[in-house]
Amino acid sequence: MAREELTRLTGTGNGECNQNDCPNLYRTANGSIVVQGDMSDAFQPPKGEALVEIPESVLREAVRALGW
């Protein structure tokens, strides 16, 4: 899936995080969420999965964008 196929929910306005290398949340066409963040080594996830960390502010911004 290409980034262009996703709806970006965060980092779209004015602020420090409006570049592609910042923590962000995206929505797929089928309604699932894709998370971009810093790698985390809190524990070893199952094969094919990864852990990422995102600031709480990014999650709050996504919730507002979704109207939840």
Side-chain angles (χ1 to χ4, degrees), residues 30-43:
N30 68 5
S32 63
I33 304 295
V34 175
V35 178
Q36 173 187 349
D38 295 326
M39 293 279 293
S40 173
D41 60 359
F43 64 90

Side-chain angles (χ1 to χ4, degrees), residues 1-50:
M1 175 180 318
R3 186 184 303 225
E4 294 77 24
E5 299 175 64
L6 303 172
T7 300
R8 190 170 176 169
L9 301 174
T10 58
T12 57
N14 294 331
E16 67 182 60
C17 201
N18 55 13
Q19 300 297 319
N20 291 334
D21 61 347
C22 295
N24 283 297
L25 275 76
Y26 301 85
R27 189 174 206 179
T28 66
N30 68 5
S32 63
I33 304 295
V34 175
V35 178
Q36 173 187 349
D38 295 326
M39 293 279 293
S40 173
D41 60 359
F43 64 90
Q44 185 63 43
K47 185 175 181 171
E49 296 182 6

